[in-house]
CSV table of all heavy atoms in Angstrom, one decimal:
chain,number,residue,atom,x,y,z
X,428,GLN,N,9.1,12.3,3.3
X,428,GLN,CA,8.2,11.3,2.8
X,428,GLN,C,8.0,10.1,3.7
X,428,GLN,O,7.9,9.0,3.3
X,428,GLN,CB,8.5,10.8,1.4
X,428,GLN,CG,8.8,11.9,0.4
X,428,GLN,CD,7.5,12.8,0.0
X,428,GLN,OE1,6.5,12.5,0.6
X,428,GLN,NE2,7.6,13.7,-0.8
X,437,VAL,N,3.7,-1.1,4.8
X,437,VAL,CA,2.5,-1.7,5.3
X,437,VAL,C,1.7,-2.4,4.2
X,437,VAL,O,1.2,-3.5,4.3
X,437,VAL,CB,1.5,-0.6,5.9
X,437,VAL,CG1,0.1,-1.1,6.1
X,437,VAL,CG2,2.1,-0.1,7.2
X,471,SER,N,10.0,-5.5,-12.5
X,471,SER,CA,9.8,-5.1,-13.9
X,471,SER,C,9.1,-3.7,-13.9
X,471,SER,O,8.3,-3.4,-13.0
X,471,SER,CB,9.0,-6.1,-14.7
X,471,SER,OG,7.7,-6.2,-14.3
X,483,ASP,N,0.9,-6.4,-24.5
X,483,ASP,CA,2.2,-5.8,-24.2
X,483,ASP,C,2.4,-5.9,-22.7
X,483,ASP,O,3.6,-5.8,-22.2
X,483,ASP,CB,2.2,-4.3,-24.5
X,483,ASP,CG,2.1,-4.0,-26.0
X,483,ASP,OD1,2.6,-4.9,-26.8
X,483,ASP,OD2,1.5,-3.0,-26.4
X,489,VAL,N,2.8,-17.2,-29.3
X,489,VAL,CA,3.6,-17.1,-30.5
X,489,VAL,C,3.8,-18.5,-31.1
X,489,VAL,O,4.0,-19.5,-30.4
X,489,VAL,CB,5.1,-16.6,-30.1
X,489,VAL,CG1,5.9,-16.6,-31.4
X,489,VAL,CG2,5.0,-15.2,-29.5
X,497,PHE,N,1.6,-23.4,-30.6
X,497,PHE,CA,1.7,-22.0,-30.1
X,497,PHE,C,2.3,-22.1,-28.7
X,497,PHE,O,1.9,-22.9,-27.8
X,497,PHE,CB,0.3,-21.3,-30.0
X,497,PHE,CG,-0.2,-20.8,-31.3
X,497,PHE,CD1,-1.0,-21.6,-32.1
X,497,PHE,CD2,0.2,-19.6,-31.7
X,497,PHE,CE1,-1.5,-21.1,-33.4
X,497,PHE,CE2,-0.2,-19.1,-33.0
X,497,PHE,CZ,-1.1,-19.8,-33.8
X,510,LEU,N,6.4,-2.1,-11.3
X,510,LEU,CA,6.1,-0.6,-11.3
X,510,LEU,C,5.4,-0.2,-12.6
X,510,LEU,O,6.0,-0.4,-13.7
X,510,LEU,CB,7.5,0.1,-11.2
X,510,LEU,CG,7.4,1.6,-11.4
X,510,LEU,CD1,6.5,2.3,-10.5
X,510,LEU,CD2,8.8,2.2,-11.4
X,515,ASN,N,-2.4,6.2,-15.7
X,515,ASN,CA,-3.6,6.8,-16.3
X,515,ASN,C,-3.3,7.2,-17.8
X,515,ASN,O,-4.1,7.9,-18.4
X,515,ASN,CB,-4.1,8.0,-15.5
X,515,ASN,CG,-3.0,9.0,-15.2
X,515,ASN,OD1,-1.8,8.7,-15.3
X,515,ASN,ND2,-3.4,10.2,-14.9
X,518,PRO,N,-5.5,3.5,-22.3
X,518,PRO,CA,-7.0,3.5,-22.4
X,518,PRO,C,-7.6,2.3,-21.6
X,518,PRO,O,-6.9,1.4,-21.1
X,518,PRO,CB,-7.2,3.3,-23.9
X,518,PRO,CG,-5.9,2.6,-24.4
X,518,PRO,CD,-4.8,3.1,-23.5
X,536,ILE,N,-5.0,-16.7,-20.4
X,536,ILE,CA,-4.7,-16.4,-21.9
X,536,ILE,C,-5.1,-17.7,-22.7
X,536,ILE,O,-4.6,-18.8,-22.3
X,536,ILE,CB,-3.3,-16.1,-22.1
X,536,ILE,CG1,-2.8,-14.9,-21.3
X,536,ILE,CG2,-3.0,-15.8,-23.6
X,536,ILE,CD1,-3.3,-13.5,-21.8
X,601,LYS,N,21.6,6.6,-7.7
X,601,LYS,CA,20.9,6.5,-6.5
X,601,LYS,C,20.7,5.0,-6.1
X,601,LYS,O,20.9,4.7,-4.9
X,601,LYS,CB,19.5,7.2,-6.6
X,601,LYS,CG,19.6,8.7,-6.7
X,601,LYS,CD,18.2,9.3,-6.8
X,601,LYS,CE,18.2,10.8,-6.9
X,601,LYS,NZ,18.6,11.3,-8.2
X,659,ILE,N,-9.0,-2.2,5.2
X,659,ILE,CA,-8.7,-1.6,6.5
X,659,ILE,C,-8.3,-2.6,7.6
X,659,ILE,O,-7.3,-2.4,8.3
X,659,ILE,CB,-9.9,-0.7,7.0
X,659,ILE,CG1,-10.2,0.4,6.0
X,659,ILE,CG2,-9.7,-0.2,8.4
X,659,ILE,CD1,-11.5,1.1,6.3
Side-chain angles (χ1 to χ4, degrees):
Q428 307 296 0
V437 166
S471 68
D483 296 329
V489 177
F497 281 96
L510 169 60
N515 55 339
I536 304 283
K601 292 183 177 77
I659 295 172

